[in-house]
Amino acid sequence: MDEDMLRCVTEQGFAARTLPLPLYVRAHAEVLVPAADAGERLDLRAADIPLLDVAVAADRRGALRQLVERAAVLRILRSGRGSLHDPRDSGGDARDGSPPAVGAGDSHDEAVARAIYRELARRRAESGIEKGTLITGRDQADGPEGVALRGVDGRIDCYLLGETAGVPAVGAVLRLDRLERPLCAVVCDLWERRGVERAVQAVLREFVVTTLPRREDADRVPFPYGDFHDVVAVGETDFETLAPLPPRDETGELRDRLRLHGHRASVRVLAPEDRTALVACRLEPTAKAEPSTESDPSAESGPAKRPTTDTEDDWRPRDVAALGLRAPRQLSLTYERDDVRIGRVYHENSKMRTAYGTLPVVDIAEMSPPARRLLGQAYRDFGHARRQYPMRPAGEPRLLTLDQVVRRRRSWAAMGDGELTRAELAHLLTLSYGTTGAAVAGQDLRLPLRATPSAGGLYSSDLFVLVDRVTGVEPGLYYFHPGKRLLQLVDDERTLAEVAEYTGYRERAGEAAAMVVYVGAFRRNQWKYRERGYRTVLLDCGHLAQSVVTTATSLGLVAHPMIAFVDDYFNAYVGVDGVEDAVLYLTLLGPRRTGDEAA
């Protein structure tokens, strides 16, 4: 589980954060950050977050696995012990001054194999790479396991680079015209197909690192893979010819090849046995001491003897930035995954599928006449209201041009303290949501058309208007009947000032002369669109709100859309249950302050 990997990162004194990638990078990225930056938080200061390391893989679990390994390497480096062995026991640093290779996995054997592969890849890169066999027939667009770049001016070439200690090496070279130089990565793996996948992930990791902002005082980190972008292709091999499956006994095969080439694996366990397996590993020559199965964890499917696990005191991290990178600004404006889990479930359930029968097939011609007529009655009717006002203005309104409307529209434009005219409100409502025509559907049905688009012509939004200062209209909450073009009284017991208390901008709402309340009628279209119907209701509401804003601006008014309101209060005020029908949006309306013609 991802939680196991995350726990292994945090127990080492670090934290993991998801790194948003450009859409042309088809992969998942996680970054290693200090423990103090563990929390996904809304940081309006956009404070710098130091990135200690970056991992790129096909999925989140693969990236977290890499972070577990890199966190362990940082612990070793920060402890001042480059050696695999405790200095108190062995009395020194590693022979070559480099930290041991680290591997993490679901099992001890898997962790040891990953560590050995990493150490072999380091040796292969350091030995110099001049030639290789080009791997052809691999889809450059998708790459193995969907990890690659798409839609970019460049390519990723993969090569077989011979063997190290009998284990195949695979290299990847990323060539992009806008890069200063090509990027390279090399991995070792007994299963060459997996090696190609890991090499692509590794070179994409190098690419992601080059795109991140760097601290001005940070030193450039040495390129870990050497520079073999000018490798000479001495032949070609088709990707499909590589072994389709890994070795049946990968651990045994790896053990045999190491022994054949005079190597043994010296392993140290870095995590408790009940956690994600995590080990540090060095390869040592067998000439000095032939390993036994008891002391060589790579010699059996499971080690017979394991060293003592390190304690937290041994590995207390210090504030050192490994890469000198800092997070892109949007990483601090983030959230916990659980905060949006329900929304993501909804989005998944509301997707249109290619499978047959995901939505009911609707044929208007096969409907009964009463059912067809219902489609044309997408409105409510408060016909018994004690007050009704016709919204059929005489004459044509004086409207700004579209160019003027677009340039002038501002939500926070200053409102005057005067009134709206009844004619202005009538023009606003009829031009944004009134009936503007009719369409023939079948031989006996004329469906009304409106100025605003709607999914399936079902018009799942209703307009209510809370009037405060409109000449010729008494204050109160009204429903706009789009067919009859009437304002019908719904409630006149609450003032706009009282209602404004239940918005997120009380003072701003109090400046308005009227407030438009948008109500989504889910039942009106979910019979046709099912789960996707919720999407279409929101889209319908957005179309309608834009029509109101555009029309209001063309009339010289101020229209301020607002989503900051208490749902339950507004649902109860309008008289809907918040389930079958719900208030979705508000727009404040007011006259533009005299002399305020600036954008």
Side-chain angles (χ1 to χ4, degrees):
M1 299 293 290
D2 293 353
E3 289 73 16
D4 296 334
M5 294 293 178
L6 280 173
R7 183 174 61 175
C8 196
V9 171
T10 57
E11 288 180 347
Q12 295 184 85
F14 302 99
R17 300 279 292 271
T18 297
L19 177 67
L21 292 179
L23 292 179
Y24 55 83
V25 181
R26 303 188 63 177
H28 184 91
E30 294 281 330
V31 292
L32 192 69
V33 299
D37 296 294
E40 300 277 354
R41 65 185 184 277
L42 178 64
D43 185 355
L44 297 180
R45 301 167 301 169
D48 279 344
I49 298 176
L51 303 190
L52 306 181
D53 216 323
V54 181
V56 174
D59 53 31
R60 185 168 185 249
R61 181 170 179 77
L64 287 174
R65 185 197 307 270
Q66 295 177 28
L67 283 196
V68 170
E69 296 168 345
R70 286 162 187 167
V73 171
L74 278 184
R75 289 172 64 199
I76 294 172
L77 292 174
R78 292 174 176 185
S79 70
R81 299 181 308 184
S83 172
L84 168 63
H85 303 288
D86 193 320
R88 293 169 296 185
D89 300 330
S90 59
D93 291 334
R95 296 178 180 87
D96 58 2
S98 63
V102 173
D106 296 328
S107 67
H108 180 76
D109 283 345
E110 181 184 5
V112 170
R114 285 178 62 89
I116 292 173
Y117 287 147
R118 189 177 297 276
E119 176 65 12
L120 292 176
R122 182 183 68 84
R123 296 187 180 198
R124 182 69 187 95
E126 290 177 349
S127 66
I129 299 172
E130 298 179 354
K131 60 184 179 180
T133 302
L134 179 66
I135 299 174
T136 62
R138 188 177 61 85
D139 190 342
Q140 289 282 346
D142 293 335
E145 301 299 324
V147 179
L149 295 173
R150 63 173 180 176
V152 298
D153 187 14
R155 69 184 192 275
I156 299 176
D157 291 324
C158 294
Y159 301 86
L160 295 178
L161 303 175
E163 295 182 345
T164 300
V167 177
V170 179
V173 180
L174 170 60
R175 296 179 174 92
L176 293 176
D177 290 345
R178 293 180 177 85
L179 285 178
E180 294 181 4
R181 59 172 175 79
L183 302 177
C184 312
V186 60
V187 303
C188 286
D189 201 304
L190 284 176
W191 188 21
E192 293 166 339
R193 286 198 178 196
R194 185 174 60 194
V196 170
E197 175 188 342
R198 292 177 54 220
V200 171
Q201 293 174 11
V203 81
L204 284 181
R205 183 256 184 193
E206 298 308 312
F207 174 70
V208 170
V209 168
T210 65
T211 66
L212 294 173
R214 186 176 297 275
R215 291 178 24 233
E216 294 180 359
D217 60 341
D219 296 329
R220 289 283 176 179
V221 178
F223 196 56
Y225 300 106
D227 190 358
F228 58 90
H229 68 271
D230 56 353
V231 58
V232 177
V234 296
E236 295 183 357
T237 185
D238 194 287
F239 181 76
E240 294 299 323
T241 65
L242 302 180
L245 297 174
R248 178 173 298 179
D249 180 10
E250 183 174 2
T251 304
E253 181 72 19
L254 185 57
R255 172 201 63 199
D256 292 342
R257 296 199 187 190
L258 289 178
R259 282 181 171 175
L260 181 63
H261 289 79
H263 294 287
R264 66 181 295 271
S266 179
V267 175
R268 180 167 186 166
V269 178
L270 302 180
E273 295 185 13
D274 60 340
R275 306 292 172 83
T276 297
L278 181 64
V279 302
C281 176
R282 280 198 183 278
L283 297 184
E284 299 175 350
T286 57
K288 292 185 178 181
E290 187 68 18
S292 67
T293 57
E294 291 185 350
S295 62
D296 181 9
S298 68
E300 301 293 340
S301 59
K305 179 180 180 181
R306 298 186 183 185
T308 304
T309 303
D310 296 304
T311 65
E312 189 63 29
D313 290 338
D314 291 333
W315 301 100
R316 190 172 303 280
R318 302 179 180 88
D319 294 329
V320 179
L323 295 180
L325 301 175
R326 55 182 175 83
R329 294 298 186 185
Q330 73 265 29
L331 189 59
S332 62
L333 301 175
T334 186
Y335 47 79
E336 294 284 359
R337 289 174 178 267
D338 284 344
D339 294 340
V340 295
R341 189 178 301 278
I342 298 300
R344 291 181 177 181
V345 170
Y346 148 69
H347 187 77
E348 183 66 26
N349 289 342
S350 66
K351 288 180 179 178
M352 187 79 79
R353 307 292 183 183
T354 57
Y356 173 77
T358 56
L359 291 177
V361 177
V362 177
D363 187 346
I364 295 178
E366 294 181 356
M367 290 182 173
S368 65
R372 289 201 295 270
R373 284 193 292 273
L374 280 175
L375 295 181
Q377 299 173 1
Y379 46 75
R380 306 170 193 270
D381 195 343
F382 295 80
H384 298 286
R386 66 175 181 272
R387 286 202 302 268
Q388 298 190 67
Y389 296 94
M391 292 284 106
R392 297 177 180 271
E396 296 292 330
R398 295 183 57 186
L399 302 176
L400 300 176
T401 66
L402 180 60
D403 180 81
Q404 291 173 315
V405 169
V406 171
R407 297 177 183 277
R408 194 178 190 186
R409 191 222 64 79
R410 293 293 183 271
S411 297
W412 283 91
M415 292 183 184
D417 56 5
E419 298 180 332
L420 300 182
T421 69
R422 179 170 165 180
E424 287 173 330
L425 183 58
H427 282 308
L428 171 65
L429 296 174
T430 56
L431 290 177
S432 60
Y433 212 38
T435 301
T436 57
V440 178
Q443 298 180 352
D444 59 347
L445 178 63
R446 293 177 62 84
L447 291 177
L449 301 177
R450 304 187 197 178
T452 296
S454 173
L458 300 175
Y459 298 102
S460 60
S461 294
D462 289 310
L463 279 185
F464 292 76
V465 183
L466 174 54
V467 171
D468 186 59
R469 303 191 310 275
V470 177
T471 58
V473 180
E474 294 186 40
L477 177 68
Y478 294 85
Y479 172 69
F480 174 62
H481 193 300
K484 298 177 180 178
R485 296 191 182 183
L486 290 175
L487 278 186
Q488 300 172 326
L489 180 66
V490 177
D491 182 281
D492 61 356
E493 296 183 357
R494 306 182 210 188
T495 66
L496 190 147
E498 293 173 322
V499 173
E501 295 289 336
Y502 293 87
T503 69
Y505 299 95
R506 176 175 54 83
E507 295 182 1
R508 177 63 170 173
E511 297 175 359
M515 176 190 292
V516 178
V517 181
Y518 307 84
V519 174
F522 300 110
R523 184 181 291 274
R524 202 174 290 168
N525 81 2
Q526 284 187 321
W527 65 270
K528 179 178 180 180
Y529 294 110
R530 304 290 171 86
E531 288 281 33
R532 196 172 179 84
Y534 190 80
R535 281 202 210 190
T536 65
V537 171
L538 299 182
L539 292 171
D540 283 359
C541 180
H543 293 317
L544 177 54
Q546 182 60 34
S547 293
V548 168
V549 168
T550 301
T551 303
T553 307
S554 71
L555 290 166
L557 307 177
V558 175
H560 186 160
M562 186 189 312
I563 198 172
F565 60 88
V566 179
D567 289 70
D568 290 343
Y569 175 86
F570 273 84
N571 287 330
Y573 177 44
V574 171
V576 296
D577 62 7
V579 179
E580 299 288 349
D581 308 273
V583 175
L584 301 177
Y585 208 18
L586 308 176
T587 297
L588 307 177
L589 297 174
R592 187 176 290 265
R593 180 181 297 171
T594 303
D596 182 22
E597 302 300 327

